[in-house]
Amino acid sequence: MSEVKVVIVDDHAMFRTGVRAELSRSPVIRIVGEAEDVDTAVKAIGEGQPDVVLLDVHLPGGGGVEVMRKAPAVDGSPRYLALSVSDAAEDVIGTIRGGARGYVTKTITGSELVAAIQRVSGGDAVFSPRLAGFVLDAFAGTIAIADIDEDLDRLTEREREVMRLIARGYSYKEVAGELFISIKTVETHMSNVLRKLQLSSRHELTRWANDRRLL
């Protein structure tokens, strides 16, 4: 099988290290660069000339869509595969609209990720099973993405991540571990989320997120 050159883009160094270790086990994957934000991603893509970019959705400097907008492209390459902790409908659809060929969550196994990279490199569209339904619903007009975006625009990218995890029932400690931040930082983000959305409790937040199909 032909070699696939890959750039890994994620703002968590520990996560990049883990992904690199998993992908390095495959003889068909060659890592040609890493990046932690939009600017370093654009540079790494230009220098490494990858076939596939593993792209986190939420990045310092503008997010994954901004990377796709700014990065150089030649003859349809690179192709982008989103690899994110977020499985929210608006993130999935926004990223696909921005140019990604696929979207998988960080619960994916190493062998599954290698297979997804190979498929995206070959031109296929790849989604985690639950996420494919979001894309179909969006094209069918059953998800009002514009309405969702209007509410979420009040939150920063990190606040959105905290909001989703808290709304799913994660404890502050679990959120801190998932996002590699301190418990105090989680508390600050949660306070900001409730204030911006004019909610008063975790229960209200869960109901708010569920009504908007963000869980």
Side-chain angles (χ1 to χ4, degrees), residues 88 90-91 147-157 160 163-164 197 208 212 214:
E90 83 283 354
D91 281 339
D147 293 339
I148 294 174
D149 286 347
E150 183 177 350
D151 288 324
L152 289 178
D153 279 347
R154 303 170 192 165
L155 307 180
T156 67
E157 291 177 353
R160 295 182 192 186
M163 175 272 293
R164 292 188 190 100
L197 298 180
W208 179 91
R212 288 158 178 77
L214 300 178

Side-chain angles (χ1 to χ4, degrees), residues 149-182:
D149 286 347
E150 183 177 350
D151 288 324
L152 289 178
D153 279 347
R154 303 170 192 165
L155 307 180
T156 67
E157 291 177 353
R158 181 61 85 189
E159 287 168 354
R160 295 182 192 186
E161 291 177 329
V162 170
M163 175 272 293
R164 292 188 190 100
L165 293 176
I166 291 293
R168 290 170 186 165
Y170 282 57
S171 68
Y172 284 8
K173 182 178 180 180
E174 289 170 332
V175 174
E178 184 78 17
L179 300 180
F180 301 97
I181 57 180
S182 70

